[in-house]
Amino acid sequence: MGGVTRPNPRSAPRLSDIAAQARVSEATASRVLNGRAGVAAGTRQRVLAALDVLGYERPVRLRRRSAGLVGLVIPELTNPIFPAFAQIIEQSLAGHGYTPVLCTQMPGGATEDELVEQLEERGVTGIVFLSGLHADTAADPSRYTRLTSRGVPYVLINGYNERVDAPCVSPDDRAAARMAVRHLAELGHRRIGLAVGPARYVPSRRKAEGFAAALEEAFGLTRGQAERRVRHTLFSVEGGQAAAAALLDDGCTGIVCGSDLMALGAVRAARQRGIDVPGGLSVVGFDDSPLIAFTAPPLTTVRQPVQAMATAAVGALVEEIQGNPVQRTEFVFQPELVVRGSTGPAPN
C-alpha cells in the first residue's frame, strides 16, 4: 500500500528534513531544536509543527509548561463546522501557551452547565462557548452571570446575547441571508425560500430577518409575505430535507439554508422528487464546512470566516485572563458568498 513513510518517532530528527518541512534554513532549525533565543515566535512554531508532521517526538527541553487549562464547550461534532472551529481555537490557545480542554454536548449526555461545573472543578483559566445556550433566547442567562461572579473569564462565539456580559464574536447572519437571496435573484429566481433552525436561536432569527429584508428589496414583498417563505426546522440534514420539501410544495425554485448540512438535506429532498440540482432547484448553504466543495454538485454556500472569528475569540479571552478587560460587545465578521455548482439559472 502506497503512502508517505513516516520515520521512527524515537529516532533522532534529521535536521535537513525538519528544515525543509518548516521552510527554514538548517541553522534556524538547529537554533529552535537547541532551545536558543533569537528566533521569531512564528518561525519557532513552524519548526515545532514540522517535528509533529514528520512524526518526531519533541525534545524534552522544548516542551513548554502550560499557562493553564482553557475549556472549549461546543454543541456537537457531527456538524463539520464545529470541529473546524475547535481545531483553530485549540491551535490558537496552544500558541498562547494554554492547554485546551474540549467539552462536547450530546443528546442524553452532559449538559452545558454540567460541563462548565466539571471545568471549574479542574481549575480552568477561562472558557470559550461556541453556539451554546447564550444563543438560545429561551435559556436563562443567569448561568453566565454566576460564572462572572466566580471570576472565570469567558467569551462567546455565534449568538450575541445582550443579557450576557462578555465579548462575543459572530458572523453577520443578516448579511449572509441577504447575499444568498441576491445571488439567487440575479439568476432569475422569483420564488425563494429559507430553511433555517428554530426561531429561538439568535443566528436563525437574524438570518430570517436578513432574508425578509432581501425579499422586500428585490421583489417588494412585505414582511408577512416573506415570513411565509421561511421554514424553521432542525439543524440537520433531516431538518433541511423536511423544510425543502415544504418549500418545494410552495413552488420555490431557490432555497437558502441555515447550514451546509441543511443544504445537503434540501438537495436530497429535490432528488427524491426527481428534481435536478441546480437545473430544477438552486440551493445555497451556510458555513463552507470542510469537504463541502466536494459534494455532488459542489455546494454554493456563504462562508463563515472561521479562522478570523476563532483567532479573535481566543485573543479576547487571553486579554481577559491577563486582566485586560475587552469591550463587552459583539464583534461582527463579514461572511463571503462562495459560488459553486448547486445554484444556476431559474427554470423556465
Side-chain angles (χ1 to χ4, degrees), residues 161-219:
N161 190 329
E162 62 185 14
R163 298 177 295 170
V164 179
D165 186 32
C168 181
V169 173
S170 304
D172 191 333
D173 289 296
R174 296 185 184 92
R178 285 197 302 270
M179 63 179 63
V181 169
R182 193 175 302 124
H183 170 62
L184 292 173
E186 289 171 351
L187 289 170
H189 294 272
R190 293 295 175 265
R191 290 195 67 83
I192 301 170
L194 174 67
V196 74
R200 71 177 193 269
Y201 291 106
V202 172
S204 299
R205 186 172 294 183
R206 288 179 170 181
K207 286 185 179 73
E209 291 169 355
F211 175 79
L215 289 190
E216 179 183 4
E217 178 185 309
F219 309 117

Side-chain angles (χ1 to χ4, degrees), residues 6 14 34 36 38-39 67 113 118 146 175 189 230-231 234 240 244 254 262 271 305 325 327 332:
R6 298 175 69 85
R14 288 180 55 183
N34 287 294
R36 293 176 185 164
V39 180
D113 291 338
Q118 292 166 17
R146 290 193 293 271
H189 294 272
V230 178
R231 295 293 182 275
L234 300 176
M262 295 173 75
R271 286 182 173 158
Q327 189 176 5
V332 180

